[in-house]
């Protein structure tokens, strides 16, 4: 590349960066007024299909509560995660309030630009009561120094039993047709899968059944509906939907470990190889695009089911026409394991609201947040405006109306991109996904590690800024190496030499340092519970 071209690219990058900051930062001047009232800027990152904020009537209740004007800065997640966030945080030019877009790890690295809300709670009585009543939210919000820089959402009440959105499901209609039971061990699972492959359980006369369909491996770690959910068969309680499980970490009796150094990981990997060798897992599973995987779950063009066993969110993963054929199942017990386990019942606390430290209109900001965490606004922020999309039956019972999902391509509210606190005992009716989850997930209640067991890492346990940077940098090299090797193991099997080389190489890439950092952090948080 010529020096002139390099200079041109650099100049263009500077212009783009400046535009990014202007577009997505706190574009209102400090202390700005509008129509004689304080002007508060709020950044939101709606889903790509969400309606504009100006169409959401509940937002007007926020302006009424603060007696101020709100400037909504709407940006999309791709832009936000693609560079806008980092640029804005580096500049310190954040909006007065940012919703959903800032993580605890971001705060750890940029703490000086965020308001410590721990001494502002008297100005937000609803928020104060929320944090007093909701232990999980309080733990999630509180940093090791005792500060509160982020107010989380918590919609746990909607799902009394939660599994991190991870379920193992089997076609019960096929089992019934073949006179089989839900398998409880790997040997039984293998026998069931062989029957699914050879006995035409969908009855279409074709050998088109996929006994056990799995998603391809992620490139940067483990993730949602990951094949390695089968580790739960060995007694390792995975946490695939969080930072811990996505990096191969788990807790066992209060000790943090990485399953890629554990022989049980080798056992699961070899089992997948054996299943693939028998044609019970597709031989293209490791390269198959996700849209192809999801299409297979939905059956063939004639409406016949194709898949026997799979991982997903709930049985609606197979589509409304096929969902009734499927049930959730506990992980079948692996050879040598005393019992199987499952993902812990982690509260549905998540990223929420942060406030700019030097924001001018703090009084109005606190009134906005306090109103937003009220029960009625929480429900509307999550499910849609009262009247149009939600019927309020009583203070704890709400029915989502058909209009909320009449157009599947449109999200009528912020949903999980907003902030919400659903009080204990809240019932949400009329949401098929909630109804399916509340039917499917309780099967795991007896398999989940207890909160005080030391067998899972609570969501509020988060690394400091420096530790997060160290672990992140290590993980790049770790997974650049590990994922292709794991794929090769599944395809070709695991021998002693290959397994030992795999572990030693991971150690050379500082995987043990990551475990030590997480152990230190876990222990620190245990002291403040």
């Amino acid at each position: 590349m010529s020096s002139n071209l390099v200079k041109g690219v650099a100049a263009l990058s500077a212009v783009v960066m400046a535009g990014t900051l202007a577009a997505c930062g706190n574009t209102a001047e400090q202390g700005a007024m509008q129509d004689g009232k304080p002007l508060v800027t709020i950044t939101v990152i709606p889903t790509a299909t969400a309606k504009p904020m100006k169409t959401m009537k509940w937002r007007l209740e926020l302006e009424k509560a603060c007696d101020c004007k709100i400037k909504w800065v709407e940006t999309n997640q791709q832009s936000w995660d693609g560079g806008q966030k980092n640029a804005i945080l580096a500049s310190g030019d954040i909006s007065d309030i940012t919703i959903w877009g800032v993580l605890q790890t971001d705060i750890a690295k940029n703490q000086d630009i965020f308001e410590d809300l721990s001494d502002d709670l008297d100005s937000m009585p609803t928020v104060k009561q929320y944090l007093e009543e909701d232990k999980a939210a309080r733990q999630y919000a509180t940093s090791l120094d005792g500060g509160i820089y982020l107010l989380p959402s918590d919609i746990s009440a909607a799902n009394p039993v939660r599994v991190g959105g991870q379920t193992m499901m089997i076609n019960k209609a096929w089992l019934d047709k073949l006179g089989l039971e839900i398998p409880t061990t790997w040997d039984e699972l293998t026998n069931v899968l062989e029957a699914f492959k050879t006995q035409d359980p969908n009855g279409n006369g074709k050998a088109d059944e996929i006994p056990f369909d799995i998603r391809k491996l992620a490139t940067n770690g483990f993730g949602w509906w990951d094949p390695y959910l089968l580790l739960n068969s060995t007694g390792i309680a995975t946490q695939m939907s969080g930072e811990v499980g996505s990096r191969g970490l788990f807790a066992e009796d209060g000790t943090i470990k990485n399953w890629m150094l554990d022989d049980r990981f080798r056992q699961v990997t070899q089992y997948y190889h054996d299943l693939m060798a028998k044609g019970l897992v597709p031989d293209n599973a490791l390269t198959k695009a996700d849209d192809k995987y999801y299409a297979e779950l939905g059956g063939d063009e004639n409406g016949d089911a194709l898949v026997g066993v799979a991982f997903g969110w709930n049985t609606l993963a197979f589509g409304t026409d096929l969902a009734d054929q499927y049930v959730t199942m506990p992980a079948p017990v692996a050879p040598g394991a005393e019992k199987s386990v499952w993902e812990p019942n982690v509260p549905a606390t998540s990223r929420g609201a942060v406030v700019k430290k030097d924001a001018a209109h703090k009084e109005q900001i606190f009134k906005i947040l306090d109103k937003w965490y009220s029960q009625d606004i929480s429900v509307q922020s999550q499910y849609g405006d009262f009247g149009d999309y939600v019927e309020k039956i009583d203070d704890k019972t709400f029915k989502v109306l058909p209009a909320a999902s009449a157009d599947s391509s449109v999200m009528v509210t912020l949903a999980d991109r907003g902030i919400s606190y659903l009080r204990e005992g809240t019932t949400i009716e009329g949401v098929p996904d909630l109804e399916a989850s509340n039917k499917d997930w309780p099967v795991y209640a007896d398999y989940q590690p207890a909160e005080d067991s030391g067998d899972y890492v609570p969501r509020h346990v988060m690394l400091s800024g420096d530790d997060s940077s160290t672990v992140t940098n290590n993980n790049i090299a770790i997974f650049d190496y590990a994922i292709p090797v794991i794929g090769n193991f599944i395809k070709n099997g695991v021998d002693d030499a290959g397994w030992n080389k795999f572990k030693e190489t991971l150690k050379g890439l500082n995987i043990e340092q990551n475990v030590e950092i997480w152990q230190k952090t876990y222990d620190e948080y245990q002291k403040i519970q």
Side-chain angles (χ1 to χ4, degrees):
M1 183 180 288
S2 72
S3 60
N4 287 337
L5 182 55
V6 171
K7 292 176 182 177
V9 170
L12 179 59
S13 298
V15 171
V16 171
M17 183 67 72
T20 295
L21 295 177
C24 297
N26 181 10
T27 55
E29 295 181 4
Q30 279 291 88
M33 306 289 287
Q34 182 176 312
D35 299 332
K37 294 185 176 183
L39 179 63
V40 175
T41 60
I42 302 179
T43 289
V44 291
I45 300 97
T47 63
T49 61
K51 297 176 70 173
M53 286 300 306
K54 65 182 181 181
T55 68
M56 301 178 196
K57 298 175 184 176
W58 59 264
R59 84 192 193 286
L60 300 176
E61 295 298 315
L62 303 180
E63 288 196 344
K64 187 183 298 183
C66 69
D67 193 24
C68 67
K69 294 291 184 179
I70 297 175
K71 178 178 181 179
W72 295 95
V73 181
E74 300 172 66
T75 188
N76 63 72
Q77 184 179 356
Q78 184 175 3
S79 298
W80 183 255
D81 290 341
Q84 287 180 357
K85 177 176 72 171
N86 290 339
I88 289 168
L89 294 180
S91 73
D93 185 31
I94 61 174
S95 291
D96 296 323
I97 302 172
T98 302
I99 304 295
W100 190 83
V102 176
L103 302 170
Q104 289 281 23
T105 50
D106 298 322
I107 295 170
K109 297 175 185 177
N110 304 274
Q111 189 168 295
D112 58 329
I113 66 174
F114 298 106
E115 173 78 4
D116 179 359
L117 299 165
S118 61
D119 56 1
D120 299 314
L121 294 178
D122 286 339
S123 299
M124 298 180 285
T126 301
V127 173
K128 183 178 182 179
Q129 183 179 4
Y130 165 40
L131 296 181
E132 289 174 348
E133 294 176 347
D134 191 321
K135 177 183 176 182
R138 182 172 67 254
Q139 290 176 328
Y140 192 95
T142 306
S143 63
L144 285 173
D145 65 7
I148 295 176
Y149 302 93
L150 180 149
L151 297 176
S153 287
D154 190 349
I155 58 171
S156 301
N159 296 115
V161 177
R162 296 167 298 280
V163 294
Q166 313 298 314
T167 61
M168 185 174 187
M169 297 165 288
I170 190 167
N171 194 312
K172 185 65 163 56
W174 288 7
L175 290 174
D176 292 344
K177 181 177 180 178
L178 301 179
L180 301 171
E181 300 293 329
I182 295 175
T184 61
T185 67
W186 278 9
D187 286 344
E188 291 177 6
L189 176 61
T190 301
N191 290 336
V192 164
L193 297 179
E194 288 175 339
F196 284 173
K197 177 179 172 64
T198 61
Q199 297 183 33
D200 191 28
N202 68 8
N204 65 2
K206 304 175 184 177
D208 57 356
E209 288 85 357
I210 302 171
F212 189 175
D213 212 359
I214 61 173
R215 290 184 71 192
K216 67 178 180 179
L217 301 174
T219 58
N220 60 348
F222 302 91
W224 286 77
W225 314 314
D226 196 283
Y228 282 93
L229 281 166
L230 207 57
L231 282 164
N232 288 281
S233 292
T234 70
I236 292 176
T238 60
Q239 294 179 245
M240 289 298 188
S241 58
E243 177 65 18
V244 172
S246 71
R247 304 308 173 198
L249 297 159
F250 68 103
E252 202 163 48
D253 295 327
T255 299
I256 305 300
K257 303 177 182 180
N258 193 299
W259 60 58
M260 288 189 290
L261 300 178
D262 193 297
D263 284 345
R264 289 170 288 184
F265 183 79
R266 175 182 179 176
Q267 183 183 18
V268 172
T269 304
Q270 183 63 40
Y271 184 50
Y272 274 124
H273 167 71
D274 295 342
L275 294 178
M276 187 174 286
K278 295 177 180 179
L280 305 180
V281 166
D283 59 8
N284 68 342
L286 300 178
T287 58
K288 182 167 52 187
D290 279 346
D291 58 354
K292 173 66 173 173
Y293 171 79
Y294 298 133
E296 290 170 347
L297 298 187
D300 66 13
E301 65 275 8
N302 297 316
D304 294 321
L306 293 173
V307 174
V309 176
F311 299 113
W313 176 270
N314 59 32
T315 49
L316 287 179
F318 301 94
T320 55
D321 291 338
L322 294 177
D324 288 344
Q325 291 190 25
Y326 292 85
V327 296
T328 46
M329 60 177 286
V333 180
E338 293 182 8
K339 62 178 182 178
S340 67
V341 293
W342 199 251
E343 298 253 330
N345 191 350
V346 177
T349 49
S350 62
R351 58 174 95 184
V354 295
V355 173
K356 185 177 183 179
K357 186 174 185 178
D358 60 356
H361 302 302
K362 293 285 181 62
E363 178 183 352
Q364 288 72 31
I365 288 169
F366 298 152
K367 288 180 178 179
I368 290 169
L369 292 173
D370 206 53
K371 183 66 175 179
W372 206 326
Y373 279 102
S374 68
Q375 176 84 323
D376 285 357
I377 299 299
S378 290
V379 170
Q380 291 177 88
S381 177
Q382 185 72 25
Y383 298 108
D385 292 320
F386 286 165
D388 294 332
Y389 305 115
V390 177
E391 176 188 354
K392 180 179 179 180
I393 297 173
D394 57 45
D395 288 343
K396 286 194 173 182
T397 308
F398 305 86
K399 182 177 182 180
V400 179
L401 303 175
S405 56
D407 185 345
S408 61
S409 68
V410 175
M411 180 77 72
V412 299
T413 190
L414 288 176
D416 62 355
R417 302 301 178 88
I419 50 176
S420 297
Y421 168 42
L422 302 185
R423 276 64 175 171
E424 186 175 354
T426 298
T427 298
I428 306 295
E429 302 174 354
V431 181
D433 177 71
L434 279 179
E435 293 169 353
S437 296
N438 286 333
K439 172 179 67 71
D440 295 339
W441 294 351
V443 72
Y444 295 110
D446 292 338
Y447 297 85
Q448 297 176 301
E451 182 178 355
D452 58 354
S453 67
D455 290 336
Y456 81 95
V457 182
R459 291 186 70 175
H460 63 273
V461 177
M462 300 179 192
L463 302 181
S464 69
D466 289 343
D467 283 345
S468 178
S469 295
T470 299
V471 168
T472 298
N473 290 334
N474 287 343
N475 279 330
I476 293 172
I478 287 169
F479 287 103
D480 280 350
Y481 164 74
I483 295 301
V485 176
I486 294 168
N488 182 63
F489 283 160
I490 293 175
K491 194 74 174 175
N492 299 305
V494 193
D495 59 24
D496 290 343
W499 175 240
N500 291 332
K501 179 182 178 182
F502 178 68
K503 292 190 294 182
E504 289 307 310
T505 303
L506 290 177
K507 291 176 183 178
L509 296 173
N510 296 321
I511 194 171
E512 291 176 315
Q513 181 186 33
N514 284 4
V515 171
E516 291 168 0
I517 288 172
W518 272 100
Q519 183 72 63
K520 176 193 69 174
T521 304
Y522 175 85
D523 292 341
E524 288 173 344
Y525 274 94
Q526 291 300 106
K527 295 175 184 176
I528 65 171
Q529 300 312 309

